[in-house]
């Protein structure tokens, strides 16, 4: 069995690494400990990456750039960076149509026009409970009313709920990094020391246009309000630190089991289905005996 120190030496504590563990501990083991390459990349992930890149360019380069051309370039770059096949759930043309619709809605939104983006796609590092965590924050912006907002851009199809937002450990990690960590800006690490007034998700697919009228809205209207925000307190940050410590304690134990609820979206299914009893170390340690008892 791998020790805690051996696992920590093998992995980087990024938000994506922790997300993999929460999706499926066995996926985490294959991908980060055994370094088995995924069999494919889901096209929706590339679509989301391309949308992020174009939005970053809107705020940092040219608000009036050609959205269609910018998306094509971003998507092609994302495809070229992949070393594994892409599993296309939709055609590139369909993704392009969706992207132009979403990005046009994003650019036309007065909230985005009036905001000053302080940081976009910025790397961070922060120490929590003695361990260094790293990742990338989508946006930190200053709104027209002077408030500071931490935003995570979301391109998935299902709209998130407020209850899920309140318990999103990833946003909590970003917030903690802004308060206590460092950001990589202009080729150097700088102390952030930012206290956002709001944290939230920007649900990009709410810029999609309704094709027909329903009880939820009329044809020709956008599907909903894209910005979903809440406030956070010092007590929330204390709770986050405690929950992250418990998560890490479990994550750094060599007990990696499959989560069947994630199989449909997993690119490690072939390895998972072919696993045998030999992959597990069945030595009956005192800790395992106590758990069984």
């Amino acid at each position: 069995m791998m020790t805690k120190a051996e696992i920590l030496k093998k992995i980087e504590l990024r938000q994506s690494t922790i997300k993999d563990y929460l999706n499926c501990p066995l996926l985490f083991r294959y991908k980060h400990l055994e370094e088995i390459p995924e069999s494919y990349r889901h096209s929706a992930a590339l679509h989301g990456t391309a949308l992020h890149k174009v939005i970053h360019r809107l705020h940092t380069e040219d608000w009036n750039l050609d959205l269609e051309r910018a998306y094509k370039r971003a998507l092609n770059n994302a495809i070229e960076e992949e070393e594994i096949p892409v599993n296309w759930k939709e055609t590139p043309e369909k993704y392009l149509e969706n992207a132009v619709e979403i990005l046009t809605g994003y650019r036309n939104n007065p909230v985005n026009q009036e905001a000053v983006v302080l940081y976009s796609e910025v790397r961070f590092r922060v120490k929590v409970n003695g361990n260094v965590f790293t990742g990338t924050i989508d946006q930190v912006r200053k709104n027209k009313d002077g408030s500071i907002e931490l935003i995570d851009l979301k391109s998935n199809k299902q709209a998130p709920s407020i209850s899920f937002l309140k318990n999103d450990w990833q946003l909590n990690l970003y917030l903690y990094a802004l308060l206590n960590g460092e950001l990589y800006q202009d080729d150097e690490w700088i102390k952030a020391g930012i206290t956002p007034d709001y944290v939230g998700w920007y649900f990009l697919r709410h810029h999609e246009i309704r094709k027909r009228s329903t009880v939820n809205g009329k044809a020709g209207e956008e599907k909903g309000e894209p910005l979903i925000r809440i406030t956070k307190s010092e007590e929330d940050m204390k709770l986050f630190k405690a929950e992250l410590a418990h998560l890490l304690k479990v994550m750094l134990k060599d007990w990696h089991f499959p989560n069947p609820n994630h199989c449909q979206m997993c690119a490690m299914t072939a390895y998972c289905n072919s696993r045998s009893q030999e992959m597990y170390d069945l030595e009956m340690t005192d800790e395992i005996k106590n758990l069984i008892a």
Side-chain angles (χ1 to χ4, degrees), residues 217-261:
K218 297 180 180 178
E221 295 179 342
E222 290 191 348
K223 289 186 176 179
E225 169 56 48
L227 190 55
I228 308 168
R229 59 159 63 127
I230 60 172
T231 58
K232 290 282 186 176
S233 65
E234 289 186 18
E235 191 62 32
D236 290 324
M237 288 296 93
K238 291 179 182 177
L239 183 60
F240 157 71
K241 286 184 67 177
E243 290 178 343
L244 189 61
H246 288 303
L247 171 60
L248 201 58
K249 185 177 181 180
V250 177
M251 182 176 163
L252 296 179
K253 291 184 180 294
D254 199 4
W255 304 335
H256 302 117
F257 49 90
N259 172 20
N261 294 323

Side-chain angles (χ1 to χ4, degrees), residues 35-51:
E35 298 180 335
I36 297 173
E38 293 177 288
S39 56
Y40 65 86
R41 179 75 68 241
H42 200 292
S43 57
L46 300 183
H47 180 52
T49 298
L51 289 172

Side-chain angles (χ1 to χ4, degrees), residues 114-163:
E114 296 164 354
V116 176
V117 172
L118 306 176
Y119 299 100
S120 174
E121 301 295 332
V122 64
R123 290 162 52 198
F124 71 84
R125 66 184 183 189
V126 63
K127 184 174 284 189
V128 189
N129 301 323
N131 294 293
V132 176
F133 292 79
T134 61
T136 302
I137 294 172
D138 290 347
Q139 275 189 16
V140 181
R141 58 167 62 178
K142 186 175 183 179
N143 296 319
K144 184 180 179 180
D145 62 4
S147 61
I148 303 297
E149 188 154 18
L150 164 64
I151 287 179
D152 194 24
L153 301 171
K154 294 290 186 183
S155 59
N156 48 299
K157 289 186 177 181
Q158 186 173 358
S161 65
I162 286 291
S163 58

